[in-house]
Amino acid sequence: MEVRNAVGAIVPIPRLKHRQLLAALLLKANTPTSVEHLMEALWDDTPPPSAGRNIKTYIHTLRKLLSPGDLRSTPIETLANAYLITLEPEDLDLLTFREHLRLGRQASRDRDLDTACRHFGQALGLWRGEALLNVKGSRILDGAAADLCEEHLALLEEFSAIQLGMGRYGETVSGLRAAAVANPSRERLWGQFMLGLYGAGDRAAALRAYQRLRKTVVEETGLEPSHLIQDLHQQMITSGSVFDLRFPPKPFHLVDAAPPDPIPRQLPCDPGDFVGRTEELVHLRSLLSPWDGSRPRHVVAITGPPGAGKSALTTRAAHMVRDRFPGGQLYANLHGATPGIRPLEPLEVLGRFLRALGVAPHAVPSGVEEAAALWRSLLDGRDVLVVLDDVVDLAQVRPLLSVPEGNSVLVNSRKTFDLVDNCVHVRIGRMRHVEASTMLARLAGAERVARDTRATARLIDLCGSLPLAVGIAGARLANRPQWSVADLLERLEDERRRLHELEVGDLAVRSSLAVSYDLLLGGGNPLDRTAARALCALGVLQVPDVTPHIVGVLLDVPADMAERAMERLVDWHLAEAGEPGRYRLHDLIRLFANEQAVRQQTRAARSAGLDRALSSYVATTRLAVKLSGYPRAVPAEVDLGVSPLPLTSDEEAYGWLARERANLLSAASQAMAAPEERTARLGVALAFSLFWHLHHAGDPSLLAINRQGLAVAQRLGDRSIEADAHNYIGIALDMSNRPEDAMTHLQKQLAFCRELSDLHGEQKALGSLSDLHLTLGRYEEAIGYAGAQWRVAKAIGHKSGEHYALTVIGTTHHRLGRFDQALAVLGGALAQTRRDGNVYQETAVHERLGEIHLDLGDPASARACYETALACARTAKVSIAEPYLLLGLARSSRLLGETDQAAVYLARSVAAAPATGHEALGRQLVEEGAVLAAAGGPRTAPGGIMTP
């Protein structure tokens, strides 16, 4: 290794370690070199404890040697746990050598042999003896020297092959003589040397060269030279006068005049308009061209749903790393998802690649195994990037994936490749919102997209942030300059038209999805066909996600088979797996599934599948509500005909309700909008069964879902359902601080129940009206309604109604200042709720008692009541009550002088308050915060954050 400055003077680097470090950096010029690699280059496997510090010192010394006047101009850059030396090709003879090598091979492929010879000659002219002679001493550097030597000899042989083919025998002999002496047993080189001597007219020298080669080979190996060399020798002996044969006959050729190793450059054009996927590209680059210079991964599989932009990402990534693969880049589109085109067979792909690597068409094996074996042999030592685009499945490409070290296969598919050894999966899905916005702006115009950011964001959401859909939307806007983003958005908002709108030219989201669906539907594996049926069935039920149980109900198959079918859809990226045992469909896939359901199933079949799913939901919801201890829901009469899931405990039941809440609400809403009476009744039954779970959780959908129930009752003329719907709407309106509106519905409920002689419904209406009058400050009316409820509930044996009525009566006495009466009535209510196990109503009684004790100036008793109420609320899972009880604890603690504890309770109440949606509670929290601050405790900051 030799270093010269800008004027050509030698820069001495006297210390071996400094030279070794510089050599290790130069061997990876323009590529980050890790500190670990440098340590190994200097000390093999036994670096000293101070190795890291030593390298920093050596780097500093090299910078001073290379740039003595200005250390900032040195080409050595410090990175995170790595160093980088940045050089132009003319700054390093190794880079210059490889550039001439590349240009020479390109000219050779173009049959411009004079240009090829010129570049090869210039490359060989850079060699001035043994590589890295003054830096050897470690395994890495010794190996690098050997590799460089082999690279030099391989080029010399390639150059000589061209010269022999051009009849330049004398030049060939001159170029090979020294190398032949230095490598006395290298048969290919000696064969070329013999051919050069023979062609130059010196047959005797050619025969002596053979004898010298034979002697060396026999001495070193105990074997004769290869048959090719022996045949060449025999032909030279029998050919007659040297002047009779200026060119050796064809059998004498060890190589053809054309370069023996064609370098394919088959990548499609680099997508210049590529947008986004920054993180994925960084990851792919690290896998295919590791920053520390290590070997690339054997197989990298990009997988994702239809329309995710897998092919574009693959092509972009391949172009980014192409320089890492000097052996070339092979590319094939396997048409796994191209409508109307048959996917390629493995042997077809192997044949294409083998021919690209120089195998004559007639020499391509006719069997897959033999072709794959030849494929592996040709790739050995080449460093080739193989790109397999649009793969159907693993079977289509398995023979191509076993490649020698140094080569990489980059594959993309809609299906996962989990069974491939040494394969790294890069899964992609939706684009990030900012990337999708950039893509839309590039296609439709930045000013146009920025003009209505809300419409743009919504349009991207409706496209699912999938590149194909966003690209189609952008193309449609580009072709319609008079449209605004809002104009296209209006069309996409209609779910019935959305897939129709996402078409432009021969691109369509629908056709992209249809390819995968058709492959499953027509697959030879029964599980594939079941998966296609599952996708179709999921188009019937409009819920956020599903479990194997509900898919099995839709398909009328066992849950384990349904789970296997859903996993197959996940493998094909037609469904997404959430937490274990839960699956969801992307919105566009859901619309496609709905289209397939309409196309593949009769209306009766769709309705039957939906009813089975709804019946399962209703049956399990009723069981879960019962196990969770909620008040008894009105059992809207409908024949279910199915068994619920086997829930066994209150915790299991509550967990199921919490996980399924969104699905249950969506299914109930869908069912109540259906024209079929049975389906609509199932929807009402589901909505009513959920009431108390939603009520206790403070769910904001409580009002809307029960208004749908009212509409169904009025459409069907079912006065019983109508009465219950008025009850539930009234309670929901009361929770929303709309007491007058609530009063109207509750009065209607009372009238319906008396008309129907429904005593249970009547006492419910009376109880709700009593609480409403209490809220409005109409205390005597409240007591009247509560007393009437108590009498009806007592008559029919409804304990919960009795408890509720007593609680309202006691609370009303408190509001009227009748403390003794309030304590007496609530004390009796507490005893009854405990006796009857009504934890929900016990929570309310303890809360009311806490309020009374506060007004009586007994904060200690009040706090005890609130603490018990909070424990009951958590047992009964009445989360909506917690912020009120925590506020009571804050007040009690403040009055006891425990301001720090009061602040803790108040902060927790502030955090839980938004779930209630009650503005009055917010005002109370602000007031308590001010009082607490005045008492010397922490104050409540804006946004509910407690500050010292």
Side-chain angles (χ1 to χ4, degrees), residues 386-404:
V386 182
V387 178
L388 302 174
D389 189 9
D390 195 11
V391 174
V392 176
D393 54 21
L394 178 58
Q396 189 184 23
V397 296
R398 191 187 296 277
L400 294 114
L401 299 183
S402 180
V403 295

Side-chain angles (χ1 to χ4, degrees), residues 139-347:
R139 183 173 59 250
I140 284 182
L141 294 176
D142 291 352
D147 290 343
L148 289 172
C149 179
E150 179 58 32
E151 194 171 359
H152 171 234
L153 290 174
L155 173 59
L156 179 59
E157 291 169 347
E158 187 173 347
F159 183 30
S160 299
I162 296 177
Q163 288 183 309
L164 288 170
M166 297 173 70
R168 298 177 179 178
Y169 301 112
E171 296 176 33
T172 303
V173 171
S174 299
L176 289 174
R177 190 179 301 277
V181 172
N183 299 273
S185 61
R186 191 177 179 98
E187 291 193 11
R188 184 183 183 192
L189 189 149
W190 275 85
Q192 291 177 329
F193 185 47
M194 290 163 58
L195 283 169
L197 291 169
Y198 180 85
D202 194 348
R203 182 171 61 173
L207 296 174
R208 287 195 300 272
Y210 171 76
Q211 293 299 333
R212 183 172 179 178
L213 170 66
R214 178 182 179 278
K215 182 176 182 295
T216 302
V217 172
V218 170
E219 288 177 352
E220 290 184 0
T221 68
L223 302 172
E224 291 291 331
S226 67
H227 291 298
L228 191 58
I229 291 290
Q230 292 184 53
D231 290 345
L232 175 60
H233 174 244
Q234 188 61 35
Q235 290 290 333
M236 288 179 176
I237 292 173
T238 60
S239 66
S241 170
V242 69
F243 298 106
D244 295 338
L245 184 62
R246 297 295 299 174
F247 292 90
K250 188 152 189 161
F252 290 4
H253 280 283
L254 297 179
V255 293
D256 293 328
D261 298 327
I263 300 179
R265 309 286 185 187
Q266 296 184 343
L267 293 180
C269 292
D270 192 357
D273 57 350
F274 189 87
V275 174
R277 302 293 190 196
T278 304
E279 291 184 14
E280 291 87 349
L281 285 170
V282 170
H283 187 203
L284 288 166
R285 186 162 196 162
S286 73
L287 296 171
L288 296 168
S289 182
W291 63 270
D292 61 356
S294 59
R295 293 286 194 178
R297 300 304 291 261
H298 277 77
V299 181
V300 177
I302 299 173
T303 60
K310 299 179 291 297
S311 293
L313 175 62
T314 300
T315 304
R316 182 73 191 97
H319 277 280
M320 288 176 61
V321 301
R322 61 181 301 172
D323 291 341
R324 171 61 182 75
F325 297 92
Q329 302 87 43
L330 293 164
Y331 170 87
N333 185 337
L334 280 72
H335 299 298
T338 306
I341 298 181
R342 175 185 61 83
L344 296 183
E345 295 294 331
L347 188 59

Side-chain angles (χ1 to χ4, degrees), residues 898-911:
E898 299 175 8
T899 54
D900 289 342
Q901 184 59 56
V904 172
Y905 285 132
L906 186 60
R908 288 165 59 188
S909 180
V910 168

Side-chain angles (χ1 to χ4, degrees), residues 5 18 90 111 153 159 215 250 364 463 465 498 500 540 579 586 677 725 773 837 866 944:
N5 61 21
H18 294 164
E90 60 267 23
R111 297 296 176 174
L153 290 174
F159 183 30
K215 182 176 182 295
K250 188 152 189 161
V364 174
C463 289
S465 292
R498 191 174 305 162
H500 294 288
V540 172
E579 61 182 86
H586 185 283
E677 179 177 344
H773 282 85
Y866 284 124

Side-chain angles (χ1 to χ4, degrees), residues 632 727 749-750 753-754 758-770 785-805:
R632 185 170 68 92
N727 173 247
Q749 179 204 7
L750 182 60
C753 289
R754 285 174 172 168
D758 177 6
L759 294 177
H760 181 269
E762 181 182 346
Q763 66 87 28
K764 281 178 58 179
L766 291 167
S768 297
L769 285 166
S770 68
Y785 278 115
Q789 181 195 17
W790 184 86
R791 289 189 293 273
V792 175
K794 184 77 172 176
I796 63 175
H798 185 60
K799 300 296 184 182
S800 180
E802 295 180 49
H803 306 157
Y804 189 89

Side-chain angles (χ1 to χ4, degrees), residues 545-546 566-567 569-571 573-586:
D545 64 8
V546 292
M566 291 306 300
E567 286 296 324
L569 290 177
V570 171
D571 289 343
H573 294 280
L574 290 172
E576 299 172 1
E579 61 182 86
R582 305 194 76 83
Y583 305 92
R584 67 179 299 273
L585 299 184
H586 185 283

